Amino acid sequence: MTGVAANPDTPAALLEELARHEPPVRRALREIARHPAATPPALLACLADARARPLAAGHPALPPAVLRGLLADADEGVREAAAAHPSLPPAEMARLLREP
């Protein structure tokens, strides 16, 4: 399963299916979070895994609405990835710059 998730030719629909697998395959979630074709639903599933979470937080396909919550995450790596996200709203960027 991990090999399929790491394959650059894996279609987005299959990545979503792999992300929903029960029980979750943690290594596959990390590969999905890195995959350029990962969709928002697949990335949201990746957020449930501690090691995939920072990867998913920085993925360009992650919905901007999810970023606000990740900016306050307990994991510093997740917070940094969310703060560097290309879709971070300008108001959130300004707020981050004002905070110590």
Side-chain angles (χ1 to χ4, degrees):
M1 189 175 311
T2 301
V4 173
N7 185 326
D9 295 327
T10 300
L14 183 52
L15 292 172
E16 285 185 29
E17 185 177 327
L18 294 173
R20 289 190 306 265
H21 189 272
E22 286 296 328
V25 178
R26 307 252 181 243
R27 287 183 60 202
L29 291 175
R30 290 191 300 272
E31 293 300 332
I32 293 165
R34 287 184 183 102
H35 202 287
T39 62
L43 293 168
L44 292 173
C46 293
L47 290 174
D49 178 72
R51 291 180 65 190
R53 193 172 178 84
L55 300 168
H59 196 287
L62 189 71
V66 177
L67 291 175
R68 174 175 249 164
L70 296 177
L71 292 170
D73 197 88
D75 183 319
E76 182 179 356
V78 173
R79 290 192 310 268
E80 288 178 359
H85 195 280
S87 296
L88 186 67
E92 287 298 318
M93 287 182 211
R95 185 184 63 77
L96 289 173
L97 291 172
R98 288 189 305 269
E99 291 182 356

